[in-house]
């Protein structure tokens, strides 16, 4: 289960709307969805929470590139919605780095079909490319809205969205869509 909501800042405060991410395939789609929630190009926050395992915040300010924070990259990587947020840039990888091994550089010595003596070492190579079990992204994403980097990094996934909404003065509007 996941929960996703848009919080759009307006002249009258924050407006919340729940959103389905089923039709969102890319980060660009998500940013466009957020921009549609605020015709005045004000700040829009996309808040995503999945099974109390991780949460993410995407901030869209007008036509600027979206800013992203994910509380646990490894947990998010196991989710289709998390994969939307975990761009190569966010993870510090070269674009396309996760496309698998370069076939020209493989040492094909005939042992591919069976187990090699180095089977245990093969796991180490995969682990070095693994997504970290830690926060990734812009930890200062909510600084100007009253939630500093240190506070954001200490939020637990099970109550993070409520804590964020409370700090913004938007807890009532978020609860109406929850």
């Amino acid at each position: 289960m996941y929960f996703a909501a848009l919080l759009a800042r307006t002249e009258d405060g924050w407006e919340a709307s729940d959103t389905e991410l089923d039709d969102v395939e890319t980060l660009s789609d998500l940013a466009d969805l957020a921009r549609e929630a605020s015709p005045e190009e004000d700040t829009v926050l996309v808040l995503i929470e999945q099974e109390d395992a991780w949460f993410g915040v995407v901030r869209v300010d007008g036509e600027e590139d979206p800013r992203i924070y994910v509380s646990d990259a490894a947990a998010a990587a196991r989710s289709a919605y998390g994969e939307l947020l975990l761009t190569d840039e966010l993870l510090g990888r070269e674009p396309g780095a996760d496309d698998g091994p370069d076939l020209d550089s493989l040492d094909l010595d005939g042992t591919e079909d069976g187990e090699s003596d180095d089977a245990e070492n093969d796991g180490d190579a995969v682990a070095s490319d693994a997504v970290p079990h830690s926060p990734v992204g812009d930890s200062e994403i909510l600084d100007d809205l009253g939630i500093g980097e240190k506070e954001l990094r200490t939020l637990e996934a099970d109550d993070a969205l409520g804590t964020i909404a409370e700090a913004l003065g938007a807890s009532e509007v978020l609860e109406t869509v929850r």
Side-chain angles (χ1 to χ4, degrees):
M1 285 295 294
Y2 78 95
F3 171 74
L6 297 174
L7 284 179
R9 185 165 49 181
T10 68
E11 290 178 5
D12 300 325
W14 292 93
E15 291 182 7
S17 58
D18 63 340
T19 186
E20 289 293 323
L21 300 179
D22 295 340
D23 295 331
V24 175
E25 295 180 8
T26 66
L27 182 58
S28 293
D29 293 344
L30 186 61
D32 290 343
L33 182 68
R35 287 183 183 103
E36 290 171 12
S38 179
E40 300 299 318
E41 295 190 4
D42 288 324
T43 298
V44 178
L45 301 176
V46 181
L47 304 175
I48 303 171
E49 168 186 83
Q50 185 149 16
E51 297 175 355
D52 298 334
W54 66 275
F55 71 93
V57 178
V58 177
R59 179 176 177 161
V60 178
D61 294 301
E63 291 299 317
E64 292 181 27
D65 287 342
R67 296 167 57 191
I68 305 165
Y69 176 82
V70 177
S71 67
D72 183 335
R78 294 187 296 271
S79 158
Y81 304 114
E83 287 181 346
L84 284 173
L85 308 180
L86 297 175
T87 63
D88 286 335
E89 180 181 352
L90 192 71
L91 295 173
R93 297 191 295 215
E94 289 294 320
D98 60 349
D99 292 342
D102 178 10
L103 294 179
D104 293 333
S105 68
L106 289 177
D107 181 16
L108 301 177
D109 62 2
T111 61
E112 300 79 43
D113 294 332
E115 289 188 30
S116 71
D117 293 336
D118 296 331
E120 292 177 17
N121 293 340
D122 292 345
D124 294 341
V126 173
S128 67
D129 289 337
V131 178
H133 282 281
S134 62
V136 295
D138 184 352
S139 57
E140 297 175 353
I141 193 170
L142 301 173
D143 272 359
D144 64 325
L145 299 174
I147 299 176
E149 175 180 3
K150 185 176 181 180
E151 183 179 0
L152 185 62
R153 288 182 169 273
T154 61
L155 292 176
E156 296 291 327
D158 61 344
D159 65 348
L161 300 191
T163 302
I164 291 169
E166 187 175 320
L168 299 174
S171 56
E172 287 182 22
V173 294
L174 182 64
E175 285 305 313
T176 62
V177 298
R178 196 179 268 275

